[in-house]
Amino acid sequence: MKHRRLLALSALALSLAPALRAQPASATFRPALADEYSATFSYSGGGDLKRGTAKAGEVSVSRFDFSVSGRLPLRQGLIFIPGLAYSHVTLDASTGVPLPESVQELSLSLGVRGVLSQKWAYLAALRPGFYGDFKTINGDSFNAPVFLAAFYVQNPDLTWTFGVTANAFNDNPVMPVVGVRWKFASDWQLDVGFPRTGVSYTVDSNLTLRGGLSVMGGNYRITENLGVPAPGIRRLANTILDLTEVRVGAGLAYKFAGGLELDADVGITTLRRFEYPDRDFRLNGDNVGWVSLAIRHRF
């Protein structure tokens, strides 16, 4: 259960990252809706899969994400944050492993962020879209995760987050969220929450080094008939796949001129799991190496 809670919060936070980063518009805000583009590719190496103690095959995982987002001031202290996102996860599994070849997401990101006082702000975000194997795209693949959060600025170096998520595709559809961002020294920052928990060190205005834990995954509707994976297990069709990788690693973020930023990370997985919760069928993977590269441009 714990890993599913972690996955649900992480996947939602990843999908809502543009909204979480957005700040109230300044007087010089350009009235264009699109002010940030982001593209990310990650790969985790091939490793064994087991059901219980029995080997079930091998798999490697690659993921591509693209998003575009913007900000539109509605009135003083209130911004509308629209966005569009697409992701494609390829599961390169050996013959006979009951996993789809790929799962995808195509969704809108609709957020509203407001300021209540000098200490408090809030965010309400909705992520309507299709999440599945895309063999058949219909209403069963539609989901609309929700994120509601309040931010308390205790002081300029310490911010707390309190909230709740709702995700109909998750085994635990409603869960609380708590996080903190603490700049405990002039060049050091601690982030506890999602999608990352770790520390970062600012070398200069362009370069930041970091290390910690992150989560890759999601909840997807499987419409393809993957058959009966084991005696006593119902057929894997019209069900939900929970994909989870908990990753530990280190990386850097470098800002170029003109608003272009490059992120690079590398490490190992500490948990790798593919689960069909309503079929009571789970495959656990070996710990493997992973690498991630992201490019974003802010106007």
Side-chain angles (χ1 to χ4, degrees):
M1 289 296 203
K2 288 183 179 179
H3 82 276
R4 273 185 231 137
R5 295 189 183 99
L6 183 66
L7 171 59
L9 296 176
S10 302
L12 185 58
L14 282 165
S15 70
L16 297 174
L20 291 169
R21 284 196 301 267
Q23 298 297 325
S26 69
T28 59
F29 173 76
R30 300 185 315 107
L33 282 180
D35 66 354
E36 177 175 327
Y37 298 88
S38 176
T40 304
F41 175 78
S42 70
Y43 174 80
S44 56
D48 288 346
L49 286 171
K50 293 181 180 179
R51 182 174 184 240
T53 58
K55 182 177 177 179
E58 299 179 355
V59 70
S60 63
V61 180
S62 59
R63 177 176 181 131
F64 172 75
D65 293 271
F66 174 79
S67 67
V68 56
S69 64
R71 298 178 297 172
L72 180 64
L74 300 177
R75 56 178 172 79
Q76 183 67 31
L78 184 65
I79 335 168
F80 173 54
I81 309 165
L84 176 68
Y86 173 74
S87 71
H88 187 286
V89 182
T90 300
L91 305 175
D92 188 4
S94 53
T95 303
V97 174
L99 291 173
E101 293 180 359
S102 66
V103 288
Q104 302 176 63
E105 171 198 344
L106 179 61
S107 63
L108 296 174
S109 179
L110 306 174
V112 176
R113 179 158 184 160
V115 177
L116 297 173
S117 68
Q118 290 185 338
K119 293 287 187 179
W120 288 94
Y122 66 88
L123 171 68
L126 182 68
R127 186 81 171 192
F130 295 94
Y131 302 74
D133 58 13
F134 280 32
K135 297 294 184 180
T136 301
I137 302 178
N138 54 33
D140 289 341
S141 300
F142 180 82
N143 193 16
V146 176
F147 179 55
L148 304 174
F151 307 95
Y152 175 66
V153 182
Q154 184 171 333
N155 59 58
D157 297 325
L158 183 62
T159 301
W160 297 88
T161 302
F162 309 94
V164 64
T165 70
N167 183 349
F169 279 10
N170 194 266
D171 245 12
N172 302 279
V174 179
M175 290 175 292
V177 178
V178 178
V180 63
R181 172 166 291 183
W182 178 30
K183 189 173 182 180
F184 58 90
S186 60
D187 298 322
W188 289 90
Q189 181 169 291
L190 170 68
D191 289 279
V192 178
F194 303 97
R196 291 180 184 271
T197 290
V199 295
S200 59
Y201 173 70
T202 302
V203 178
D204 56 38
S205 60
N206 295 323
L207 178 62
T208 300
L209 306 179
R210 63 187 177 218
L213 177 149
S214 61
V215 178
M216 188 282 290
N219 311 100
Y220 303 93
R221 169 70 66 174
I222 304 303
T223 58
E224 179 184 8
N225 180 8
L226 298 176
V228 177
I233 302 297
R234 292 166 54 201
R235 182 169 57 97
L236 298 179
N238 297 315
T239 186
I240 299 294
L241 170 65
D242 288 353
L243 189 165
T244 313
E245 282 193 350
V246 178
R247 300 169 167 183
V248 173
L252 60 85
Y254 188 83
K255 296 179 182 178
F256 296 89
L260 184 65
E261 182 177 317
L262 172 68
D263 292 6
D265 296 270
V266 64
I268 61 170
T269 62
T270 60
L271 182 147
R272 203 179 202 193
R273 186 168 293 170
F274 307 85
E275 183 171 11
Y276 300 90
D278 63 351
R279 299 298 195 265
D280 195 25
F281 185 82
R282 176 191 300 170
L283 296 173
N284 295 306
D286 284 348
N287 294 335
V288 297
W290 63 270
V291 62
S292 176
L293 183 67
I295 297 175
R296 63 178 51 92
H297 187 221
R298 298 174 182 173
F299 295 95

Coordinates of all heavy atoms in Angstrom, one line a residue, residues 190-242:
L190 N 16.8 22.0 1.1 CA 16.2 20.7 1.4 C 14.8 20.7 0.9 O 14.0 21.6 1.2 CB 16.3 20.3 2.8 CG 15.5 19.1 3.3 CD1 16.1 17.8 2.7 CD2 15.4 19.0 4.8
D191 N 14.4 19.7 0.0 CA 13.0 19.6 -0.4 C 12.6 18.2 0.0 O 13.2 17.2 -0.3 CB 13.0 19.6 -1.9 CG 13.2 21.1 -2.4 OD1 12.2 21.8 -2.4 OD2 14.3 21.4 -2.9
V192 N 11.5 18.2 0.8 CA 10.8 16.9 1.2 C 9.4 16.9 0.6 O 8.6 17.8 0.9 CB 10.8 16.8 2.7 CG1 10.0 15.5 3.1 CG2 12.2 16.9 3.3
G193 N 9.1 16.0 -0.2 CA 7.8 15.9 -0.9 C 7.9 15.2 -2.2 O 8.7 14.2 -2.3
F194 N 7.2 15.6 -3.2 CA 7.1 15.0 -4.5 C 7.2 16.0 -5.6 O 6.7 17.1 -5.4 CB 5.8 14.2 -4.6 CG 5.6 13.2 -3.5 CD1 4.8 13.5 -2.4 CD2 6.1 12.0 -3.6 CE1 4.6 12.6 -1.4 CE2 6.0 11.0 -2.6 CZ 5.2 11.4 -1.5
P195 N 7.8 15.7 -6.7 CA 8.3 14.3 -7.1 C 9.7 14.0 -6.6 O 10.2 12.9 -6.8 CB 8.3 14.4 -8.6 CG 8.6 15.8 -8.9 CD 7.9 16.6 -7.8
R196 N 10.4 15.0 -5.9 CA 11.7 14.7 -5.4 C 11.8 15.0 -3.9 O 11.2 15.9 -3.4 CB 12.7 15.6 -6.1 CG 13.0 15.4 -7.5 CD 14.0 16.4 -8.1 NE 14.3 16.3 -9.5 CZ 15.2 15.5 -10.0 NH1 15.9 14.7 -9.2 NH2 15.3 15.4 -11.3
T197 N 12.6 14.2 -3.2 CA 13.1 14.4 -1.9 C 14.6 14.4 -1.9 O 15.2 13.4 -2.3 CB 12.5 13.4 -0.9 OG1 11.1 13.6 -0.8 CG2 13.1 13.6 0.5
G198 N 15.2 15.5 -1.5 CA 16.6 15.5 -1.5 C 17.2 16.9 -1.2 O 16.5 17.8 -0.8
V199 N 18.5 17.0 -1.4 CA 19.2 18.3 -1.1 C 19.8 18.8 -2.4 O 20.1 18.0 -3.3 CB 20.3 18.1 0.0 CG1 19.7 17.8 1.3 CG2 21.3 17.1 -0.5
S200 N 19.9 20.1 -2.5 CA 20.6 20.7 -3.7 C 21.6 21.8 -3.2 O 21.4 22.4 -2.2 CB 19.5 21.3 -4.6 OG 18.8 22.3 -4.0
Y201 N 22.6 22.0 -4.0 CA 23.7 22.9 -3.7 C 23.8 23.8 -4.9 O 24.1 23.4 -6.1 CB 25.0 22.2 -3.4 CG 26.1 23.2 -3.3 CD1 26.2 24.0 -2.2 CD2 27.1 23.2 -4.2 CE1 27.3 24.9 -2.0 CE2 28.2 24.1 -4.1 CZ 28.3 24.9 -3.0 OH 29.4 25.8 -2.9
T202 N 23.7 25.1 -4.7 CA 23.8 26.1 -5.8 C 25.3 26.5 -5.9 O 25.8 27.2 -5.0 CB 22.9 27.3 -5.5 OG1 21.6 26.9 -5.4 CG2 23.1 28.3 -6.7
V203 N 25.9 26.1 -7.0 CA 27.3 26.4 -7.2 C 27.4 27.9 -7.6 O 28.3 28.7 -7.1 CB 27.9 25.5 -8.3 CG1 29.4 25.9 -8.6 CG2 27.8 24.1 -7.9
D204 N 26.6 28.3 -8.6 CA 26.5 29.7 -9.0 C 25.1 30.0 -9.6 O 24.3 29.1 -9.5 CB 27.7 30.1 -10.0 CG 27.7 29.2 -11.2 OD1 26.6 28.9 -11.7 OD2 28.8 28.9 -11.6
S205 N 24.9 31.1 -10.2 CA 23.6 31.5 -10.7 C 23.1 30.5 -11.8 O 22.0 30.5 -12.1 CB 23.6 32.9 -11.2 OG 24.5 33.1 -12.2
N206 N 24.1 29.8 -12.4 CA 23.7 29.0 -13.6 C 23.7 27.5 -13.2 O 23.0 26.7 -13.9 CB 24.7 29.2 -14.7 CG 24.7 30.6 -15.3 OD1 23.6 31.1 -15.4 ND2 25.8 31.1 -15.7
L207 N 24.5 27.0 -12.2 CA 24.7 25.6 -12.0 C 24.2 25.2 -10.6 O 24.6 25.8 -9.6 CB 26.2 25.2 -12.1 CG 26.5 23.8 -11.9 CD1 25.8 22.8 -12.8 CD2 28.1 23.6 -11.9
T208 N 23.4 24.2 -10.5 CA 22.9 23.6 -9.3 C 23.2 22.1 -9.3 O 22.9 21.4 -10.3 CB 21.4 23.8 -9.1 OG1 21.1 25.2 -9.0 CG2 20.9 23.2 -7.8
L209 N 23.8 21.6 -8.2 CA 24.0 20.1 -8.0 C 23.0 19.6 -7.0 O 22.6 20.3 -6.1 CB 25.4 19.9 -7.5 CG 26.5 20.5 -8.3 CD1 27.9 20.1 -7.6 CD2 26.5 20.0 -9.8
R210 N 22.5 18.3 -7.2 CA 21.5 17.8 -6.3 C 21.7 16.3 -6.2 O 22.3 15.6 -7.0 CB 20.1 18.1 -6.9 CG 19.9 17.5 -8.3 CD 18.6 18.0 -8.8 NE 18.4 17.4 -10.2 CZ 17.8 18.1 -11.2 NH1 17.5 19.3 -11.1 NH2 17.7 17.5 -12.4
G211 N 21.0 15.8 -5.1 CA 21.0 14.3 -4.9 C 19.8 14.0 -4.1 O 19.3 14.8 -3.3
G212 N 19.3 12.8 -4.2 CA 18.1 12.4 -3.5 C 17.3 11.3 -4.1 O 17.8 10.5 -4.9
L213 N 16.0 11.3 -3.8 CA 15.1 10.2 -4.2 C 14.0 10.8 -5.1 O 13.5 11.9 -4.8 CB 14.5 9.6 -3.0 CG 13.4 8.5 -3.2 CD1 13.5 7.5 -2.0 CD2 12.0 9.1 -3.2
S214 N 13.7 10.1 -6.2 CA 12.6 10.5 -7.0 C 11.8 9.3 -7.5 O 12.2 8.1 -7.3 CB 13.1 11.2 -8.3 OG 13.9 10.4 -9.1
V215 N 10.6 9.5 -8.0 CA 9.7 8.4 -8.4 C 9.2 8.6 -9.8 O 8.8 9.7 -10.2 CB 8.5 8.3 -7.4 CG1 7.6 7.2 -7.9 CG2 8.9 8.1 -6.0
M216 N 9.3 7.5 -10.6 CA 8.7 7.5 -12.0 C 7.6 6.5 -12.0 O 7.8 5.4 -11.4 CB 9.8 7.2 -13.0 CG 9.4 7.3 -14.4 SD 8.3 6.0 -15.1 CE 9.5 4.7 -15.2
G217 N 6.5 6.8 -12.6 CA 5.4 5.8 -12.7 C 4.1 6.4 -13.1 O 4.0 7.6 -13.6
G218 N 3.1 5.7 -12.9 CA 1.7 6.1 -13.2 C 0.7 5.0 -13.1 O 1.0 3.9 -12.8
N219 N -0.6 5.4 -13.3 CA -1.7 4.5 -13.3 C -2.4 4.5 -14.6 O -2.8 5.6 -15.1 CB -2.7 4.8 -12.2 CG -2.0 5.1 -10.8 OD1 -1.8 6.3 -10.5 ND2 -1.7 4.1 -10.1
Y220 N -2.5 3.3 -15.3 CA -2.9 3.3 -16.7 C -4.0 2.2 -16.9 O -3.9 1.1 -16.4 CB -1.7 3.0 -17.6 CG -0.6 4.0 -17.5 CD1 0.5 3.7 -16.6 CD2 -0.6 5.2 -18.2 CE1 1.5 4.7 -16.5 CE2 0.5 6.1 -18.1 CZ 1.5 5.8 -17.2 OH 2.6 6.7 -17.1
R221 N -5.0 2.6 -17.7 CA -6.0 1.6 -18.1 C -5.5 0.7 -19.2 O -5.0 1.2 -20.3 CB -7.3 2.3 -18.6 CG -8.3 1.5 -19.2 CD -9.0 0.6 -18.2 NE -9.8 1.3 -17.2 CZ -10.6 0.7 -16.3 NH1 -10.7 -0.6 -16.3 NH2 -11.2 1.5 -15.5
I222 N -5.5 -0.6 -19.0 CA -5.1 -1.6 -20.0 C -6.3 -2.1 -20.7 O -7.1 -2.8 -20.0 CB -4.2 -2.7 -19.3 CG1 -3.1 -2.1 -18.6 CG2 -3.8 -3.7 -20.4 CD1 -2.1 -1.2 -19.4
T223 N -6.5 -1.9 -22.0 CA -7.6 -2.4 -22.7 C -7.2 -3.6 -23.5 O -8.1 -4.4 -23.9 CB -8.2 -1.3 -23.7 OG1 -7.1 -0.9 -24.6 CG2 -8.7 -0.1 -22.9
E224 N -5.9 -3.8 -23.8 CA -5.4 -4.9 -24.6 C -5.6 -6.2 -23.7 O -5.5 -6.2 -22.5 CB -4.0 -4.7 -24.9 CG -3.3 -5.9 -25.6 CD -1.8 -5.7 -25.9 OE1 -1.3 -4.7 -25.3 OE2 -1.2 -6.5 -26.6
N225 N -6.0 -7.3 -24.4 CA -6.1 -8.6 -23.7 C -4.7 -9.2 -23.6 O -4.1 -9.7 -24.6 CB -7.0 -9.5 -24.5 CG -7.2 -10.9 -23.8 OD1 -6.7 -11.1 -22.7 ND2 -7.9 -11.8 -24.5
L226 N -4.1 -9.2 -22.4 CA -2.8 -9.8 -22.1 C -2.9 -11.2 -21.6 O -1.9 -11.8 -21.3 CB -2.1 -8.9 -21.1 CG -1.8 -7.5 -21.5 CD1 -1.2 -6.7 -20.3 CD2 -0.9 -7.4 -22.7
G227 N -4.1 -11.8 -21.6 CA -4.2 -13.2 -21.2 C -4.3 -13.4 -19.8 O -4.3 -12.5 -18.9
V228 N -4.3 -14.7 -19.4 CA -4.2 -15.2 -18.0 C -2.8 -15.4 -17.6 O -2.1 -16.3 -18.1 CB -5.1 -16.4 -17.8 CG1 -5.0 -16.9 -16.4 CG2 -6.5 -16.2 -18.2
P229 N -2.2 -14.6 -16.7 CA -0.8 -14.6 -16.4 C -0.4 -15.8 -15.6 O 0.8 -16.2 -15.6 CB -0.5 -13.3 -15.7 CG -1.8 -13.0 -15.0 CD -2.9 -13.5 -16.0
A230 N -1.3 -16.3 -14.8 CA -1.0 -17.4 -13.9 C -2.3 -18.1 -13.5 O -3.3 -17.5 -13.5 CB -0.2 -16.9 -12.6
P231 N -2.2 -19.4 -13.1 CA -3.4 -20.1 -12.6 C -4.1 -19.4 -11.4 O -3.4 -18.9 -10.5 CB -2.9 -21.5 -12.2 CG -1.6 -21.7 -13.0 CD -1.0 -20.3 -13.1
G232 N -5.4 -19.2 -11.5 CA -6.1 -18.5 -10.5 C -6.2 -17.0 -10.6 O -6.9 -16.4 -9.8
I233 N -5.6 -16.5 -11.6 CA -5.6 -15.0 -11.9 C -6.5 -14.7 -13.0 O -6.5 -15.4 -14.0 CB -4.2 -14.5 -12.2 CG1 -3.2 -14.8 -11.0 CG2 -4.2 -13.0 -12.4 CD1 -3.5 -14.2 -9.7
R234 N -7.4 -13.7 -12.8 CA -8.3 -13.3 -13.9 C -7.5 -12.7 -15.1 O -6.4 -12.2 -14.9 CB -9.3 -12.3 -13.4 CG -10.3 -12.9 -12.4 CD -11.0 -11.8 -11.7 NE -11.7 -10.8 -12.6 CZ -12.0 -9.6 -12.3 NH1 -11.7 -9.1 -11.0 NH2 -12.6 -8.8 -13.1
R235 N -8.1 -12.8 -16.3 CA -7.6 -12.3 -17.5 C -7.2 -10.8 -17.3 O -8.0 -10.0 -16.8 CB -8.6 -12.5 -18.6 CG -8.1 -12.1 -20.0 CD -9.1 -12.6 -21.0 NE -10.4 -12.1 -20.7 CZ -11.0 -11.0 -21.3 NH1 -10.2 -10.3 -22.2 NH2 -12.2 -10.6 -21.0
L236 N -6.0 -10.5 -17.8 CA -5.5 -9.1 -17.8 C -6.0 -8.3 -19.0 O -5.4 -8.2 -20.0 CB -4.0 -9.0 -17.7 CG -3.3 -9.7 -16.5 CD1 -1.8 -9.7 -16.6 CD2 -3.8 -9.1 -15.2
A237 N -7.2 -7.8 -18.8 CA -7.9 -6.9 -19.8 C -8.9 -6.0 -19.1 O -9.5 -6.4 -18.1 CB -8.6 -7.7 -20.9
N238 N -9.0 -4.8 -19.6 CA -9.9 -3.8 -18.9 C -9.6 -3.7 -17.4 O -10.5 -3.8 -16.6 CB -11.3 -4.2 -19.2 CG -11.7 -4.1 -20.6 OD1 -11.4 -3.2 -21.3 ND2 -12.4 -5.2 -21.1
T239 N -8.3 -3.5 -17.2 CA -7.8 -3.4 -15.8 C -6.8 -2.2 -15.7 O -6.5 -1.6 -16.7 CB -7.2 -4.7 -15.3 OG1 -6.9 -4.6 -13.9 CG2 -6.0 -5.0 -16.1
I240 N -6.3 -2.0 -14.5 CA -5.4 -0.9 -14.3 C -4.0 -1.4 -14.0 O -3.9 -2.4 -13.2 CB -5.8 0.0 -13.1 CG1 -7.2 0.7 -13.3 CG2 -4.8 1.1 -12.8 CD1 -7.2 1.7 -14.5
L241 N -3.0 -0.9 -14.6 CA -1.6 -1.2 -14.3 C -1.0 -0.1 -13.5 O -1.0 1.1 -14.0 CB -0.8 -1.4 -15.7 CG 0.7 -1.5 -15.5 CD1 1.1 -2.8 -14.8 CD2 1.4 -1.5 -16.9
D242 N -0.4 -0.4 -12.4 CA 0.4 0.5 -11.6 C 1.8 0.3 -11.9 O 2.3 -0.8 -11.6 CB 0.1 0.4 -10.1 CG -1.2 0.8 -9.6 OD1 -1.9 1.4 -10.5 OD2 -1.6 0.6 -8.5

